[in-house]
Each structure stands twice: as C-alpha cells, then as structure tokens.
Amino acid sequence: MAVIALKCPDIEVAVVDISVPRITAWNSDQLPIYEPGLDEVVKQRRGKNLFFSTDVEKHVCEADIVFVSVNTPTKTRGLGAGKAADLTYWESAARMIADVSKSDKIVVEKSTVPVKTAEAIEKILTHNSKGINFQILSNPEFLAEGTAIQDLFNPDRVLIGGRETPGGEKAIKALKDVYANWVPEENIITTNLWSAELSKLAANAFLAQRISSVNAMSALCEATGANVSQVAYAVGKDTRIGPKFLNASVGFGGSCFQKDILNLVYICECNGLPEVAEYWKQVIKINDYQKTRFVNRVVASMFNTVSNKKIAILGFAFKKDTGDTRETPAIDVCKGLLGDKALLSIYDPQVTEDQIQRDLSMKKFDWDHPLHLQPMSPTTVKQVGVVWDAYEATKDAHGVCILTEWDEFKNLDFQKIYDNMQKPAFVFDGRNVVDSEKLREIGFIVYSIGKPLDAWLKDMPALV
Ligand code: UDX
C-alpha cells in the first residue's frame, strides 16, 4: 500500500488495523517490520496520501476499493485441521465491509486464499448488501520478503482476476488503472477469479518444489561426491529450467510455502484427486527430511552426541534481510539439537530473544498426523541463550551452525572464531555461504550442504 501511495500521488491510501500498538508503530519512526527500503517510502508519503488508522469502519465506508490482507493461517482444529486455510478473519472482514458500506465497492482479495474463496466472500457481501453493488477481485501478491520494495517497483507480473461480466470487467479495469501508474501494461495479466486464486498457490508450490528438488539432489551429491552448486549451475543453464531459485539449503521456510502447499493438498483431496495431493505433499516431506538430515549430520559428526555441548546458531530468520521467523528451518533444527541435549547460543542480527524463545517453546502442529506435540519444558528453554554478537555466540562452542544466509556471516573473522572454540571445531553451513576451503585451512571441519564431504564426515556417517 505504501508503494501504491508513492506511485499514485492522486490516490489516497488508508491502511487500517484493529491493533492499536501496530498502527501506533506504523505512525512512529520505528516501523513494526524490517524491510529494506520500506522506511523511505513510508516516510515520503505518510501524512500526504498514506495514512495509518485504527478507525477501520470509517475508512472502509469512504473507500472505493478495499484491499483485504488479513491472516489466513492453516487450521489447527476441526475439519481440515493441519491443511485447510482458516478463513475466520476473512469472513469477519467481509461481514464488516457489508455492514458499514454505504456506496458501491470493489473488494480485492490480497491474502492468499483457497480457490473459490471469492465465491464465498461474494455470497456474504451480496446477502448482506442492502442494495450496494460489490465486485470481488483476486489480486494475489507475489513479492518476497527482504526484496519487497524492489519486487513491487518492478513486478514480473501483476495478476488481477475477476468475474467475466460487464461489472466484473469494469472493476478489473479500475484496479488495472491503479497499477498502470508504474507497471507496463503487458505485465498486468487479467484472468477469471479462480485462475488468479489458483495461480498464487501454484506459483508458490512450483517455487518450493524447485528447492525441494535441489535439496533432494544435495543428499545424493553428498553420497556420491558430486557438488550440488555445480549440478544446479549445469541444470539451470538450460533456458527451459533457468538459473534462479536453485540454491540448496537446510530447507525453505517463510509464511507462504508450507501453508500454501498444505492448502493445495487439501483442495486436491477435497476434489477427489489423492494422487495429485500426494505429489505436492512430497515437496513438504523432502523439506522436513532436509532439516532432519542436517541435525543428524551435526550429531553424527560430533561423535554421535551433542549432549551438554555448546553449539552456536548463526541466523534464525527464515532468510536474510528479514526479521521474520515464521516456519524458519532454524526452529526445527534447534529443536532437533535441543532434543539431543545441546546447549544453544543463538545470534541473528534482526530477531529478538523474545521471538526466539517464543518460537522454540511453541507447540508444533504436525501437519501430516494432526496431533499436538508437547511444548518445550522449562529446562529445555534454559538450554537456549540468545546473544547479540556472532563472536559471543561461537566462544567456547564445539560447533557452529549457519542457518540464515546473512551477508555479514561471509565476512566474519573465522580465525578468531576458531581460536576461541573447542577442538575439533566444526562448521555446519546450512546455506553454503562460507568459503569452506579457507575454513579448512584454518583447521575447521566443515560440512556444506550437497558438497563433497571432509574425510572426517565420511568416517562419521549420519543416518540420513
Ligand atoms: C515467497 C515467494 O517467493 C513469493 O513470491 C510469495 O509471494 C511469498 O512466498 P518469501 O517467503 O518471502 O516469498 O521468500 P522466498 O525468497 O521465496 O524464500 C522462501 C524460502 O526458500 C526461504 O527460507 C529461502 O531461504 C528458501 N530458498 C529460496 C532456498 O532455500 N533456496 C533458494 O534457492 C531460494
């Protein structure tokens, strides 16, 4: 919305939320999320044509176009628990819009929702409309965190889905005109409602599938002596495949990939397509396998036990340049190490201690077998320390696990780190960011995902 305000000075944008602290933060110097470039955009337009307010009903009543970007988490109980999207917030937003509206409105789905949600929303709006005309559009967002502003400035495409009726087409045009202020017309795609909704789920499923594919290859590379970076480069040179999004890693995280694939799986099952559901489920299973494989490698390398050993965790966010920890692979890796009684010292440049402790003590929902696992006991929480410096985290540690690809980790003084660690000193690079040869020269035993193994690691085979 800040970018729309920047690119369309004639449009007044009001961002509303019922949370007072959140809106207060958006109106302050300290924005509630870290996103490169966002500060400048907000500061340029705030108070001019960009406003943040808790007066939800007033602004919805006045608006011509309402974008709905409420949370659509995976359901944790009831029908479809563990897979289906929870649309409670969407439904109450729709009822509120119907309630307060006094003029015709275009209602835009921005949250990722299951296919055919628009139909349900349309029913709620029209059954409560008091004669007002509502047009529903689906306008999924493809930005990635950490590069959100650049992605919005130069989107590969903008997708707008709507009803194939004169009213629907008019609404599509109105929204297209907003984006046309800065997006070339040929990059604005218009489709029917269901295609737009499904395209978002499909895009995230395809992206996640690429990562699970390269991660599956990484296991085979380690077993055979191939190098996953060389394989990915060679594969990506085929223009039909392309070079992007082929970095092997400890696993993908983030608020979208797992949630959207689970949703896709549920939709397939509900439509009587179990084979298709099973196919997409494998993408998540390989992701879980990759995280488990990493933990097993750490434990196996260190004489099959990390009990009471200090392990430094460098990076906790699900990717660099964000403080977001939703579904970050670091949660499962840390829990795996804590399960083997390791003592963790965690450093991430953007994630607070509170957030880390909350993430590690939260119940994990088992998507495949819906049952609640136990939260961590107080003793387990004591096994975790959070520090504000990579050197502090690694001091006296037996091993270092790099779980987020923050740029600063490439330039650490690894000689200094080595000198202050227990020996043998291990580095487990879950993001392939460090120069492993240089580290080996210093004396480290280095594990890099999908790369030929050190003699040490070959001698300590992990059950992977
Ligand atoms: C994703 C989609 O990219 C975006 O289009 C959609 O709107 C929301 O979901 P995001 O979750 O912000 O965006 O991050 P993304 O850059 O896609 O990374 C997701 C995860 O995959 C991260 O944990 C990242 O580290 C991992 N990843 C990405 C890899 O492991 N290897 C890669 O090659 C790329």
Side-chain angles (χ1 to χ4, degrees):
M1 290 305 118
V3 168
I4 289 181
L6 182 77
K7 298 291 186 182
C8 316
D10 298 336
I11 296 178
E12 184 173 316
V13 179
V15 178
V16 294
D17 198 298
I18 50 172
S19 159
V20 175
R22 192 170 299 166
I23 290 298
T24 308
W26 281 109
N27 279 320
S28 75
D29 285 340
Q30 193 64 45
L31 301 187
I33 58 167
Y34 172 70
E35 185 63 49
L38 178 62
D39 263 51
E40 293 88 271
V41 178
V42 169
K43 278 175 192 155
Q44 267 187 58
R45 301 315 310 168
R46 198 169 52 193
K48 298 192 177 86
N49 64 333
L50 175 63
F51 303 92
F52 297 92
S53 165
T54 49
D55 199 345
V56 180
E57 299 185 355
K58 170 179 172 279
H59 288 287
V60 169
C61 177
E62 288 172 0
D64 300 307
I65 305 180
V66 182
F67 291 85
V68 182
S69 326
V70 294
N71 226 3
T72 52
T74 309
K75 275 183 87 170
T76 53
R77 57 203 305 177
L79 190 65
K83 294 195 187 97
D86 183 346
L87 295 176
T88 314
Y89 304 115
W90 231 117
E91 187 175 334
S92 64
R95 288 183 190 280
M96 179 272 296
I97 294 169
D99 230 28
V100 305
S101 292
K102 295 197 180 76
S103 57
D104 293 355
K105 296 204 188 311
I106 298 171
V107 177
V108 184
E109 282 182 333
K110 257 293 172 203
S111 333
T112 310
V113 290
V115 185
K116 298 229 163 181
T117 298
E119 197 163 58
I121 302 306
E122 202 170 50
K123 284 196 176 109
I124 294 172
L125 289 171
T126 46
H127 279 87
N128 296 280
S129 74
K130 301 166 289 187
I132 290 164
N133 177 33
F134 291 106
Q135 281 296 333
I136 316 289
L137 298 179
S138 167
N139 172 218
E141 184 48 64
F142 294 102
L143 69 80
E145 288 180 37
T147 53
I149 300 298
Q150 278 317 312
D151 292 348
L152 287 166
F153 283 178
N154 301 301
D156 285 347
R157 79 307 208 182
V158 166
L159 181 57
I160 305 173
R163 284 281 184 203
E164 292 155 309
T165 59
E169 277 156 19
K170 200 168 150 219
I172 291 176
K173 177 159 185 327
L175 187 56
K176 198 173 168 182
D177 287 347
V178 173
Y179 286 106
N181 278 287
W182 79 97
V183 180
E185 187 132 347
E186 62 273 20
N187 290 355
I188 307 178
I189 306 170
T190 58
T191 66
N192 73 28
L193 268 180
W194 325 136
S195 298
E197 289 180 331
L198 184 57
S199 298
K200 171 70 187 189
L201 291 179
N204 276 344
F206 275 51
L207 288 169
Q209 182 203 45
R210 274 175 85 88
I211 303 169
S212 278
S213 296
V214 78
N215 282 345
M217 284 299 158
S218 76
L220 189 56
C221 287
E222 286 165 33
T224 57
N227 178 326
V228 76
S229 301
Q230 295 174 348
V231 173
Y233 182 75
V235 169
K237 268 289 183 190
D238 185 325
T239 50
R240 292 168 301 175
I241 297 171
K244 293 183 188 167
F245 237 71
L246 281 178
N247 292 323
S249 66
V250 60
F252 62 73
S255 63
C256 292
F257 284 176
Q258 172 154 321
K259 171 174 77 83
D260 290 354
I261 293 175
L262 288 173
N263 213 213
L264 194 61
V265 166
Y266 184 68
I267 292 170
C268 293
E269 285 170 352
C270 291
N271 281 285
L273 302 169
E275 289 82 0
V276 185
E278 201 49 44
Y279 175 75
W280 287 110
K281 216 188 250 185
Q282 282 303 321
V283 173
I284 301 182
K285 285 191 175 169
I286 287 289
N287 198 46
D288 286 340
Y289 163 76
Q290 188 75 345
K291 291 179 272 189
T292 309
R293 208 166 76 73
F294 186 86
V295 172
N296 289 353
R297 186 68 83 184
V298 174
V299 177
S301 314
M302 300 169 85
F303 314 101
N304 264 330
T305 176
V306 287
S307 180
N308 284 321
K309 288 178 185 164
K310 177 174 171 180
I311 311 257
I313 303 293
L314 298 188
F316 198 83
F318 81 97
K319 63 191 272 196
K320 74 170 180 178
D321 292 339
T322 175
D324 196 341
T325 61
R326 285 176 291 175
E327 302 294 341
T328 176
I331 296 176
D332 286 341
V333 169
C334 288
K335 283 186 173 176
L337 294 171
L338 290 167
D340 213 86
K341 300 213 184 87
L343 307 173
L344 303 183
S345 184
I346 305 177
Y347 164 65
D348 186 290
Q350 284 297 334
V351 186
T352 61
E353 171 159 16
D354 258 18
Q355 184 62 49
I356 291 174
Q357 294 288 5
R358 233 188 345 260
D359 285 336
L360 291 180
S361 52
M362 228 161 54
K363 284 180 186 172
K364 180 178 163 67
F365 189 81
D366 187 332
W367 58 273
D368 208 17
H369 311 281
L371 53 87
H372 289 288
L373 300 180
Q374 288 307 308
M376 282 202 321
S377 64
T379 39
T380 326
V381 177
K382 270 190 221 139
Q383 288 168 247
V384 179
V386 178
V387 295
W388 276 107
D389 179 273
Y391 298 103
E392 180 66 29
T394 51
K395 194 165 177 287
D396 293 324
H398 289 258
V400 178
C401 297
I402 301 174
L403 301 184
T404 312
E405 71 282 21
W406 285 102
D407 288 336
E408 65 176 70
F409 297 157
K410 291 182 194 155
N411 305 318
L412 290 171
D413 181 347
F414 278 99
Q415 183 66 56
K416 178 173 158 189
I417 289 177
Y418 181 80
D419 293 343
N420 290 323
M421 280 177 67
Q422 307 278 344
K423 307 297 174 326
F426 298 85
V427 169
F428 303 93
D429 185 359
R431 297 285 183 171
N432 288 346
V433 287
V434 298
D435 181 341
S436 50
E437 281 318 310
K438 221 165 106 190
L439 262 60
R440 285 186 185 115
E441 276 166 29
I442 293 173
F444 282 106
I445 296 161
V446 186
Y447 166 70
S448 308
I449 303 265
K451 303 287 177 83
L453 298 175
D454 285 9
W456 180 288
L457 297 167
K458 274 191 200 148
D459 288 345
M460 301 271 191
L463 292 171
V464 287

